[in-house]
């Protein structure tokens, strides 16, 4: 039960992390800029918005004209979402609470471990690319040294949270040693409960 609980916890954390990663990828507040007291500019991976109380948004028209950090972050975030989606299906097959691959406990645990590793890779990719994106914004802010420079927005924090949750959930799902130790302890306890089998002696 302990191993199944860890797998369920890891699956739930990874699922929440995947949802946060998808939400961050679609959010427009990756970086923001305030011009005066009311005018705001937000730029995301797919569109940019500007306005005062009511903002108008438009999609990025030309991919090659976008800054390199936007192109790279968009690509890596899509890869992370794809890996997490595949890991979601793989780990569902390998979890002990599902009926897939019944009678093949070793194969199920290996499948769950593979799904957990894929989740960890996806989460680490999200954390790395988000940190690099923030570094580019901070470097640009220090280079220009003006009040009109962009700052990183709320989508960065959502992306960081999604990456951490996905990686943590993958670590719980890939806890192969936990499942093996539980299986070994259960086998040893069953062996202690069995009566000793000795040679039978027939007396007349």
């Amino acid at each position: 039960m302990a191993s199944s609980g860890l797998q369920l916890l890891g699956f739930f954390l990874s699922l929440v992390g995947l949802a946060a990663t998808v939400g961050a990828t679609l959010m427009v507040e990756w970086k923001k800029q305030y011009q005066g007291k009311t005018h705001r500019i937000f730029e995301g991976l797919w569109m940019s918005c500007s306005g005062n109380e009511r903002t108008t948004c438009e999609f990025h028209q030309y991919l090659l004209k976008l800054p390199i950090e936007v192109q790279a972050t968009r690509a890596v975030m899509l890869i992370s979402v794809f890996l997490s989606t595949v890991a979601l299906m793989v780990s569902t097959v390998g979890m002990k609470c599902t009926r897939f691959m019944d009678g093949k406990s070793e194969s199920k645990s290996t499948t769950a471990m593979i799904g957990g590793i894929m989740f960890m890779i996806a989460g680490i990719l999200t954390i790395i690319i988000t940190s690099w994106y923030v570094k580019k914004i901070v470097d640009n802010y220090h280079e220009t040294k003006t009040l009109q420079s962009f700052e990183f927005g709320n989508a960065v924090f959502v992306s960081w949270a999604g990456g951490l949750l996905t990686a943590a959930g993958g670590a719980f799902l890939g806890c192969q040693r936990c499942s093996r130790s539980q299986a070994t302890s259960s086998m040893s306890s069953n062996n202690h409960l069995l009566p000793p089998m000795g040679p039978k002696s027939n007396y007349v």
Side-chain angles (χ1 to χ4, degrees):
M1 291 296 293
S3 178
S4 299
L6 284 178
Q7 284 185 345
L8 286 174
L9 176 62
F11 186 83
F12 177 74
L13 289 177
S14 300
L15 188 62
V16 174
L18 173 59
T21 304
V22 172
T25 305
L26 299 177
M27 286 178 67
V28 74
E29 294 185 33
W30 277 82
K31 57 183 179 180
K32 59 185 179 180
Q33 182 186 73
Y34 294 100
Q35 296 180 350
K37 294 183 178 180
T38 58
H39 192 74
R40 299 169 296 177
I41 299 176
F42 300 106
E43 287 196 9
L45 303 180
W46 307 96
M47 66 176 66
S48 59
C49 301
S50 62
N52 296 324
E53 294 182 357
R54 300 180 63 180
T55 59
T56 57
C57 301
E58 59 179 9
F59 286 95
H60 297 313
Q61 297 294 329
Y62 303 102
L63 176 62
L64 297 179
K65 290 185 178 180
L66 293 175
I68 185 63
E69 63 268 19
V70 176
Q71 298 183 37
T73 304
R74 180 193 289 189
V76 175
M77 292 295 286
L78 289 177
I79 292 173
S80 176
V81 170
F82 175 76
L83 276 177
S84 296
T85 305
V86 176
L88 195 68
M89 296 184 288
V90 172
S91 58
T92 301
V93 175
M95 290 177 63
K96 291 186 175 183
C97 59
T98 60
R99 295 186 176 274
F100 299 103
M101 302 171 66
D102 281 341
K104 300 178 181 180
S105 58
E106 188 67 24
S107 299
K108 279 180 72 71
S109 61
T110 302
T111 304
M113 183 183 66
I114 293 173
I117 292 173
M118 293 177 69
F119 271 128
M120 285 190 286
I121 293 173
I124 292 171
L125 284 176
T126 302
I127 295 171
I128 290 175
I129 195 62
T130 305
S131 301
W132 181 74
Y133 184 90
V134 170
K135 182 180 181 300
K136 297 291 289 185
I137 295 176
V138 173
D139 291 343
N140 184 57
Y141 180 83
H142 289 304
E143 287 176 2
T144 56
K145 294 182 180 179
T146 61
L147 295 177
Q148 302 299 325
S149 299
F150 279 97
E151 302 174 359
F152 53 87
N154 296 329
V156 168
F157 301 103
V158 177
S159 182
W160 269 331
L164 288 173
L165 289 174
T166 305
F172 284 118
L173 277 170
C175 189
Q176 185 83 343
R177 182 177 297 179
C178 301
S179 59
R180 285 183 176 179
S181 61
Q182 183 197 8
T184 304
S185 61
S186 62
M187 289 177 62
S188 61
S189 61
N190 290 333
N191 290 335
H192 286 299
L193 293 175
L194 290 175
M197 300 296 293
K200 293 183 179 181
S201 58
N202 297 324
Y203 294 97
V204 179

